[in-house]
Amino acid sequence: MNITRKDIDNLNTVLTVEIEKDDYSGKVDKVLSDYRKNANIPGFRKGHVPMGMVKKQFGKAVLVEEVNKILQDSLHKFLTEEKLDILGNPLPKNEAEIDWDSDNYSFQFELGLSPKFDIDLNAKEITHYKIVADEEMVNNQIKRIRKQYGKLVSKNEVETGDEITGTFTSEEKEIEKKSSFSTDDVDGKAQVEKLLGAKVGDTVTLKTKGMFADDHDNQKYFGVSHDDAHGLDIEVTFKIEEVNTREMAELDQELFDKLFGEGVVTSEEELKSKIKEDAENQFAQQGDQKLLNDVIESLIENTKFELPTEFLQRWLATAGESKLSEEEARAEFEKSEKGLRYQLIEGKLRSENKLQVTFEELKDYSKNMIRSQMAQFGQLNPSEEELDSIAARILSNQEEVERLSEQLNANKMLNFFKENAKLKTKEITFDKFIKEAYA
C-alpha cells in the first residue's frame, strides 16, 4: 500500500491511496473462511460448503468491506502522522471509476487544508463596559421593594399607581375576563385618564389598541388567543370591582431580614450598598458578554485568511443526511463562514496559549457550581466527599459535560481577552449601556 500527496495550492491537496492484492487478500480469505464455517446452505453440511460457492456468494461484498477498512485506517494514520490540519472530511474523487474486478485499486481524495494565519489581538481597541447602578436606579429598586412588601389597602376611587381588579367584556371577541393590573401598567395618557377618578362599581369603555405596551399582555388581561392579541383593536368595557393601593413598607430591620436573612443588612445605607452590589454583579455578566461578542467580531474582521471555499461547498453538499444542491451548499457555506473563521481563530489561540479545558478544571468548576447552589439553600459547608460524589454524577452525563465545558471554555477565553486584548474601560449606567451597546 502506498499514499502520495499532490498539493493543488496552499489550501487544497489530493491524496492517492494505492492498495494492492497483498494488502487485503489475507483479510478477505480469513473472513470468507469464517463464513464457510458458519454458513447454512441447503444441500451442504455446516462447515462443508465449497469455498468457490462462498466466494461467489459473498466474495465481492467482503472484498469491498475489507478494502474500505484498510482505506479508512490508512487515511487516518497518514493524516495523523503527517499532522495535516484539514477542514471537513476527505472527499472521494474517483469513487465511480473503481473497478472491483481488478486486483489493485487506486483511490483519490480531495482535502481542504486549514489556512495559516497570524492573530493580532491589538488590531482594534475594544470597549469594556463597567455598568454601575446609579443612585436613581437604587432608589427606584427600594421603592419597588417597599411597594412589594407593603400592605394592600382597599379604597373606593382610582388614583395614580393603584391596583384595579375588574372584568373586561366584549361581545365582538366574546371576552369576559377578570383581571388585575396597576394604572402604571396602562400605556397611553387617554386610557389612564378614563380610569383615574372611576369608582368601585363603575363601568368604563376602553380601547385595546395600545392599552398595554406589549401586545402579548392582551392575552393575559383580555384572555384572547395569541393570534388575536397581536394588533387587537376593539373597544371593551371594564367594570371596576376592587381598587387597592399599596402602603409602602417601612425600611426597618424586619424588612431587611426578609430580604437578605437575619442581620445581614442593618441600615438603609447598608441596604443601598447591598442593592448596588447585587445589581452591579449582574451587570458585570452583561458587560463581559458584550466584551466577548465585540472581541470575537473584531478578530473575525481583522484576521485575514483564505478558505478552501469550493471544497467546503462540495463537502457541505454531501455532509448532511440529505444532499444539497450547489446553490443550497453555497448558501449554507455563507451562513456558516463566520462561525468557521472564529472556530479556526479560537482553536489557534487555545493551542498557542494552552487554554484547553482539562478534566480536573471541569471537575473543580462543577464543584464550585454545586457549592454555590447548596449555599442558596443554607448548606454552607458541604464536605469534599459530598461535593466529589455529586460532581461525579453530573460528569457522568455527557450532555452536562458538554454544557459545563462550553461555559468553562467561554470563561477561559473571556479572561484571556481581558488580559491580552487592547481594551478601554468605560463606566456607564445600565440605561445608557443598553442605548449605546445595542443601538
Side-chain angles (χ1 to χ4, degrees), residues 210-223:
M211 183 171 174
F212 301 106
D214 188 341
D215 276 357
H216 288 97
D217 285 338
N218 293 336
Q219 284 182 275
K220 175 181 175 182
Y221 294 119
F222 301 130

Side-chain angles (χ1 to χ4, degrees), residues 353-369:
N353 298 281
K354 296 181 173 60
L355 298 174
Q356 294 88 347
V357 171
T358 67
F359 180 77
E360 283 305 312
E361 288 175 325
L362 191 60
K363 183 179 177 182
D364 288 342
Y365 182 76
S366 64
K367 285 168 68 175
N368 287 333
M369 179 192 70

Side-chain angles (χ1 to χ4, degrees), residues 24 37 39 53 74 85 88 107 134 142 149 154 160 250 282 289 324 339 342 357 360 366 368 378 401 412 428:
Y24 64 82
K37 291 176 186 176
M53 184 174 288
S74 59
D85 194 2
F107 300 90
D134 59 4
I142 290 174
Y149 286 88
S154 179
T160 300
E250 293 295 327
Q282 292 182 32
Q289 187 60 55
L324 303 179
Y342 180 65
V357 171
E360 283 305 312
S366 64
N368 287 333
V401 169
K412 275 200 163 192
I428 193 170

Side-chain angles (χ1 to χ4, degrees), residues 190-206:
Q191 301 281 63
V192 175
E193 286 179 351
K194 288 186 178 182
L195 291 166
L196 295 179
K199 297 180 173 59
V200 173
D202 286 353
T203 298
V204 294
T205 300
L206 301 165

Side-chain angles (χ1 to χ4, degrees), residues 143-156:
K143 285 179 185 177
R144 283 192 289 271
I145 290 170
R146 292 184 67 193
K147 189 173 181 181
Q148 179 183 349
Y149 286 88
K151 286 190 221 173
L152 202 60
V153 178
S154 179
K155 55 189 295 192
N156 189 54

Side-chain angles (χ1 to χ4, degrees), residues 76-180:
H76 176 73
K77 184 179 178 182
F78 181 85
L79 294 175
T80 303
E81 290 178 350
E82 295 294 316
K83 297 180 180 178
L84 281 181
D85 194 2
I86 67 171
L87 300 178
N89 291 316
L91 284 178
K93 185 176 172 65
N94 66 331
E95 193 174 31
E97 301 169 9
I98 301 301
D99 179 9
W100 290 103
D101 291 324
S102 66
D103 290 334
N104 302 321
Y105 310 102
S106 178
F107 300 90
Q108 290 184 334
F109 293 90
E110 294 178 89
L111 271 63
L113 303 180
S114 185
K116 308 295 182 186
F117 55 89
D118 295 317
I119 300 172
D120 183 5
L121 277 167
N122 296 313
K124 179 182 177 182
E125 188 176 64
I126 307 295
T127 300
H128 186 199
Y129 292 96
K130 182 184 177 184
I131 309 168
V132 296
D134 59 4
E135 187 175 0
E136 181 182 1
M137 174 178 278
V138 172
N139 287 337
N140 286 338
Q141 179 63 10
I142 290 174
K143 285 179 185 177
R144 283 192 289 271
I145 290 170
R146 292 184 67 193
K147 189 173 181 181
Q148 179 183 349
Y149 286 88
K151 286 190 221 173
L152 202 60
V153 178
S154 179
K155 55 189 295 192
N156 189 54
E157 186 175 318
V158 179
E159 294 181 277
T160 300
D162 286 347
E163 297 176 18
I164 314 166
T165 298
T167 300
F168 286 108
T169 57
S170 164
E171 289 186 11
E172 180 182 345
K173 287 291 182 180
E174 298 181 347
I175 295 172
E176 187 167 351
K177 179 73 164 61
K178 186 170 183 175
S179 298
S180 297

Side-chain angles (χ1 to χ4, degrees), residues 260-289:
F260 302 106
E262 190 173 347
V264 175
V265 170
T266 59
S267 68
E268 185 175 344
E269 285 308 308
E270 287 183 7
L271 173 65
K272 288 183 176 181
S273 178
K274 181 67 173 166
I275 289 172
K276 180 178 175 67
E277 178 188 352
D278 289 348
E280 289 180 353
N281 283 339
Q282 292 182 32
F283 295 157
Q285 296 176 20
Q286 296 185 55
D288 284 348
Q289 187 60 55

